[in-house]
Amino acid sequence: MTAVPQEKAAQREAIEQSGWGQPYRFLQPHNVAFWVYLLGVGGGALTMLRYFGAGASFYTPALAGGVLLFGLYLVPWLLLLRHHNRFTAQPAGLLATGFVWGGVAATFWIALPANGALLAIWAKVGGTSFAANWGAGLTAPINEEWGKALGLVLLIGLAPRLVRSAYDGFIIGAFIGLGFQVFEDVLYVYNGATQLYGVDQLGSSLRVFVTRGAAGIVSHALFSAIFCAGLMWVLGRSGERKVLRGVLTMLMAMVFHFAWDDMAGIAGGSWLIGVLPFAIAAVELIALFYVLRHAARQERAWMRELLGPEVESGVVDPALLDAVSGLRKDRKKYRKHLHSRSKARHRIEAAGDLAQEIARAGGAESAGVAHARAELVRVQQGGLS
Amino acid sequence: MDMGQAPQGWVPVEHRLLGLDRRTFAAGFGALAVALLLIYGLQALNAAIPWHNEIRAGQVLDLGGGATAVPPVGWQLERGTLTGGAGAAATSLQVLLASGGATIELEGTSYDGSAAAFLEQVQRSEGDSGSVSGSRGSLTTDAGLVGVVESSTGPSGDAIDVAFKMAVGTTETVNSAPALLVRVRTAAGQFERYQDEVAAMLRSITPGAAR
């Protein structure tokens, strides 16, 4: 038996624990989660067709405008999330599976009927004034946050080795939330047009786009990223179970959702209504980065272990390891260290590529690993072509 | 002995049940249970709780911007608010009153034009409903609001739609005011039973003092 160096053993353990480099396969007929996913998306698609079908021809301008505007709205979001899908780099197919669950199943299969029922319950229990003030905020955080998070649970069933850490929950949650947000926004465009009985449909969709688009910056994608990171801490799938932190994080996402939906009730008709959207958005963004930072801690440790043998062999220098496995401030420090933004970016990306190839090869040597290593050496020697 | 590589999706025999992988039961059935609880559990709970929001004598509906209506006593207010509450918005108003199988809906929106043109826009947006429309008439409330009424009957029951522009005065003032659509629906042949209550409520509709 050959002795495995300590760094190599840690690398293999990190690959095993993180599930990095594992392929994702959607079609799994033996998997119950696959069938439940199909049931949810199929049920949601049917409800969606019934919902829009009745007035589809008369409201075509509004629907087309909504789909086009919110389709374009997706582009910067996807770029931003791609940037944050940094460490694990979840496969695109898995993220698309989450997005479709959020948009079709969570919105139309779960939230639409569940919200209608719970809103009526609040009106029956507390009266219509109470429901008007507080109903939305007492309904959506329960039905919608859980409805979206079920997508994460199903993805755990579909890709148990890929969905391990709180960071995985954060990224997948953001994609599920983004799907929910965009499909819900198109629904709002349609509702807005029906409320005006089809007068000025394009203008009405543009108004919904401006208001919902601006609010969307601190809406479903953010709530779900936080909620799903919390759920992963509770489940503790990477061996790091933190139930209290997880529950508090999930509650925080629900409280944010409540505050956003019941802003008028919280302001109570006072001047606060002008300030609250900005105050809540600021608190939400601070909380988002706090959760992101904590959620990424384990991924960063895995990244260090993954590249450990490369540091030993001198391919990756310690400063580069700090930058590729570190926070924004570490990358900034590395940029200063190299006196070049582009050099730093190329080296960090090349080291990330090497980590991905090592994970894909399961820690063994492969043609991909050799190439990624050679590329890193080339950019470090300044041989950019 | 060479173990070989398991084909993709291979499930070891001890984990199989009816062709499914038992290791996926927790995630799959767990998610399904929560989803069904949210969808059907809440609907069942809603169906089990009766309405206790009966209109009492003297209560007045808030139609937004100071506009009001006196709802029929004994009907259940299922959506909408009474005066003295948080305040309704005239251009996104949604009120629903129900009694037995009959409902009265009040929907407020913004519309530039006359009440007759508004009713036509509503009908255009809904296409052919398969009902037989009756004649169109006008209705004047006690406060002087002039509405356009159209009744219809069809397989799903009797209906009347009344369109108002919530202002009195010059044509310009009326055209730029918010629009209100009142829709009454009853089972076929049952409208007579509610006629007096509906007529009294329609007559009670008052525009806001500001207009």
Side-chain angles (χ1 to χ4, degrees):
Chain A
M1 196 174 126
T2 46
V4 181
Q6 206 180 341
E7 287 79 16
K8 201 67 195 166
Q11 181 191 63
R12 293 244 165 94
E13 205 182 324
I15 293 171
E16 172 62 29
Q17 275 184 4
S18 65
W20 287 10
Q22 289 288 318
Y24 170 68
R25 196 163 46 88
F26 173 68
L27 204 64
Q28 298 181 47
H30 298 297
N31 194 325
V32 173
F34 169 74
W35 294 108
V36 174
Y37 181 90
L38 284 191
L39 175 75
V41 172
L46 273 179
T47 312
M48 187 163 66
L49 285 176
R50 271 206 299 266
Y51 195 90
F52 292 131
S57 58
F58 188 77
Y59 292 107
T60 302
L63 269 175
V67 169
L68 183 73
L69 288 170
F70 284 104
L72 291 173
Y73 181 72
L74 262 181
V75 176
W77 269 102
L78 291 174
L79 290 175
L80 176 78
L81 291 177
R82 181 179 174 274
H83 171 72
H84 277 289
N85 188 17
R86 178 185 296 125
F87 300 111
T88 318
Q90 292 284 7
L94 182 135
L95 298 174
T97 308
F99 180 89
V100 171
W101 175 269
V104 181
T107 314
F108 290 92
W109 189 50
I110 298 175
L112 208 57
N115 285 358
L118 195 50
L119 280 168
I121 291 171
W122 294 128
K124 286 175 179 179
V125 173
T128 51
S129 275
F130 171 78
N133 276 339
W134 305 106
L138 293 174
T139 299
I142 299 170
N143 295 337
E144 296 178 2
E145 289 318 317
W146 281 102
K148 287 180 286 177
L150 292 182
L152 175 69
V153 174
L154 290 174
L155 279 174
I156 291 173
L158 285 168
R161 297 197 61 197
L162 275 168
V163 189
R164 300 298 274 268
S165 66
Y167 193 81
D168 295 336
F170 187 93
I171 293 291
I172 294 168
F175 271 89
I176 296 174
L178 184 61
F180 191 99
Q181 191 169 309
V182 169
F183 277 73
E184 187 192 50
D185 285 341
V186 173
L187 185 82
Y188 275 108
V189 164
Y190 182 81
N191 288 350
T194 58
Q195 228 250 318
L196 294 171
Y197 301 99
V199 177
D200 186 22
Q201 294 192 31
L202 285 174
S204 139
S205 47
L206 196 64
R207 280 192 293 277
V208 173
F209 173 72
V210 170
T211 50
R212 300 280 310 174
I217 296 166
V218 283
S219 178
H220 284 286
L222 179 147
F223 302 147
S224 286
I226 296 178
F227 190 90
C228 289
L231 184 59
M232 292 303 285
W233 273 318
V234 172
L235 295 174
R237 293 184 42 76
S238 59
E240 188 197 37
R241 174 170 277 176
K242 296 193 185 305
V243 177
L244 183 66
R245 179 195 282 175
V247 169
L248 288 177
T249 307
M250 290 161 78
L251 280 176
M252 180 165 72
M254 292 172 84
V255 168
F256 286 158
H257 201 159
F258 162 82
W260 200 256
D261 281 7
D262 279 349
M263 222 177 287
I266 294 169
S270 71
W271 56 270
L272 273 174
I273 195 69
V275 183
L276 269 179
F278 303 100
I280 295 173
V283 174
E284 281 182 9
L285 286 172
I286 292 167
L288 180 81
F289 286 110
Y290 180 81
V291 172
L292 174 64
R293 194 180 175 136
H294 278 270
R297 191 176 282 169
Q298 194 171 35
E299 299 275 325
R300 287 165 42 217
W302 281 333
M303 181 64 108
R304 291 188 79 84
E305 281 163 7
L306 206 79
L307 289 175
E310 301 298 321
V311 177
E312 278 301 299
S313 62
V315 175
V316 174
D317 66 65
L320 177 56
L321 182 68
D322 287 346
V324 77
S325 66
L327 300 167
R328 190 190 176 85
K329 69 171 171 32
D330 299 303
R331 292 190 292 279
K332 208 170 150 185
K333 195 170 142 192
Y334 190 60
R335 279 202 295 271
K336 275 190 183 161
H337 170 68
L338 288 186
H339 303 292
S340 164
R341 178 178 282 270
S342 62
K343 266 186 193 170
R345 186 167 61 82
H346 289 141
R347 288 184 190 189
I348 292 170
E349 267 188 41
D353 288 349
L354 176 58
Q356 297 294 338
E357 287 301 329
I358 291 170
R360 200 166 291 151
E365 282 300 317
S366 72
V369 172
H371 180 72
R373 193 181 287 132
E375 279 290 284
L376 177 59
V377 171
R378 182 176 67 82
V379 296
Q380 291 195 113
Q381 287 169 350
L384 290 168
S385 51
Chain B
M1 190 175 68
D2 183 12
M3 290 290 286
Q5 174 121 32
Q8 228 182 25
W10 181 269
V11 183
V13 287
E14 67 272 27
H15 294 300
R16 288 182 211 163
L17 184 71
L18 303 170
L20 294 168
D21 185 347
R22 283 197 308 197
R23 292 169 298 182
T24 65
F25 282 14
F29 289 128
L32 181 65
V34 176
L36 294 180
L37 189 73
L38 290 174
I39 302 166
Y40 299 106
L42 288 176
Q43 289 190 61
L45 185 64
N46 180 30
I49 301 175
W51 280 99
H52 295 293
N53 215 13
E54 202 173 295
I55 298 290
R56 292 191 298 275
Q59 288 185 324
V60 177
L61 275 178
D62 185 351
L63 303 185
T68 57
V70 180
V73 173
W75 286 53
Q76 296 287 345
L77 179 63
E78 299 191 0
R79 219 169 31 234
T81 52
L82 299 168
T83 52
T91 52
S92 58
L93 183 78
Q94 289 204 321
V95 178
L96 175 63
L97 290 152
S99 174
T103 59
I104 303 174
E105 264 187 287
L106 294 97
E107 294 169 4
T109 185
S110 52
Y111 181 82
D112 287 337
S114 67
F118 173 55
L119 191 58
E120 271 158 27
Q121 177 69 27
V122 171
Q123 287 172 339
R124 256 200 308 279
S125 75
E126 290 175 349
D128 181 18
S129 61
S131 58
V132 182
S133 287
S135 56
R136 188 174 278 197
S138 56
L139 177 151
T140 308
T141 71
D142 294 343
L145 283 175
V146 180
V148 180
V149 191
E150 191 165 304
S151 59
S152 60
T153 185
S156 55
D158 295 341
I160 62 161
D161 287 346
V162 193
F164 291 102
K165 290 306 297 288
M166 297 299 280
V168 285
T170 64
T171 311
E172 278 167 12
T173 316
V174 171
N175 282 355
S176 60
L180 177 73
L181 180 69
V182 184
R183 326 193 87 168
V184 185
R185 301 284 181 269
T186 72
Q190 292 295 305
F191 183 71
E192 307 292 312
R193 272 182 59 197
Y194 304 100
Q195 196 171 17
D196 293 344
E197 285 175 314
V198 169
M201 173 167 162
L202 288 171
R203 278 199 310 273
S204 76
I205 294 174
T206 310
R211 293 190 206 102

